[in-house]
Amino acid sequence: MALKNVTLPELGENAGDKAKVSFWYVEPGERIAAGDNLVQMLTDKATFDVPCPEGGIIKEQKAGEGVEVHVGDVICTLETGH
């Protein structure tokens, strides 16, 4: 089992470089599959979902609801290899 940091991906050409956490689809301790929605993010121009890059168990959310994060910031830790 390995821990993997999940970061906020690029938001697109016109979206800027930061977004605010709207809500988490999964809580720490819950299992998630690759491609499932992990968190909903808000920018000034759009609302979008961040998919989980690979399956595993959410170990820790690094940004709570309402917190602003920048592209490349760690948003959660995922335990993989289950």
Side-chain angles (χ1 to χ4, degrees):
M1 289 173 261
L3 291 180
K4 176 178 181 152
N5 287 328
V6 179
T7 60
L8 182 65
E10 291 289 330
L11 306 177
E13 291 179 22
N14 300 319
D17 67 345
K18 60 186 175 184
K20 191 177 287 188
V21 175
S22 175
F23 69 90
W24 288 91
Y25 288 102
V26 292
E27 296 296 324
E30 292 182 338
R31 182 175 298 279
I32 188 168
D36 284 356
N37 288 333
L38 180 62
V39 62
Q40 183 181 79
M41 303 296 293
L42 303 171
T43 68
D44 292 338
K45 298 181 180 185
T47 300
F48 64 95
D49 294 324
V50 174
C52 195
E54 61 185 280
I57 296 173
I58 302 300
K59 295 306 283 182
E60 182 180 5
Q61 295 170 342
K62 300 286 189 173
E65 293 179 4
V67 174
E68 187 174 87
V69 293
H70 291 85
V71 170
D73 286 352
V74 175
I75 55 174
C76 74
T77 304
L78 180 69
E79 186 177 283
T80 62
H82 290 273

